[in-house]
């Protein structure tokens, strides 16, 4: 997990240098947030949330369906 966080942090720092992410943002915190979101999507997918809803969450196109 530490290696993945380091990789995400490095990529986020590169995005900051290129002006894609606010330079005031903390890459360590952003990396932790991103990893948490990705692993959360993975967990709810394994728990049975339908693939379409997962795609919508990942792409920001909508909210999870309430069944």
């Amino acid at each position: 997990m530490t290696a993945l966080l380091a990789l995400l942090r490095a990529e986020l720092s590169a995005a900051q240098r290129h002006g894609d992410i606010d330079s005031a943002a903390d890459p360590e915190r952003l990396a932790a947030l991103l990893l948490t979101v990705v692993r959360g999507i993975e967990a709810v997918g394994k728990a049975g949330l339908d693939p379409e809803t997962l795609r919508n969450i990942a792409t920001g196109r909508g909210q999870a369906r309430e069944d």
Side-chain angles (χ1 to χ4, degrees):
M1 192 74 61
T2 303
L4 184 52
L5 277 172
L7 176 63
L8 289 170
R9 185 176 49 249
E11 293 302 317
L12 290 164
S13 293
Q16 284 178 307
R17 287 191 301 276
H18 289 98
D20 297 321
I21 295 176
D22 185 347
S23 62
D26 180 354
E28 182 81 27
R29 292 181 73 184
L30 289 176
L33 174 63
L34 183 57
L35 183 59
T36 300
V37 170
V38 169
R39 295 305 304 255
I41 291 171
E42 178 185 355
V44 295
K46 287 182 178 180
L49 195 60
D50 66 283
E52 180 183 359
T53 300
L54 292 172
R55 277 190 295 280
N56 289 339
I57 292 168
T59 60
R61 292 185 185 160
Q63 299 177 353
R65 283 191 342 217
E66 291 185 26
D67 291 328

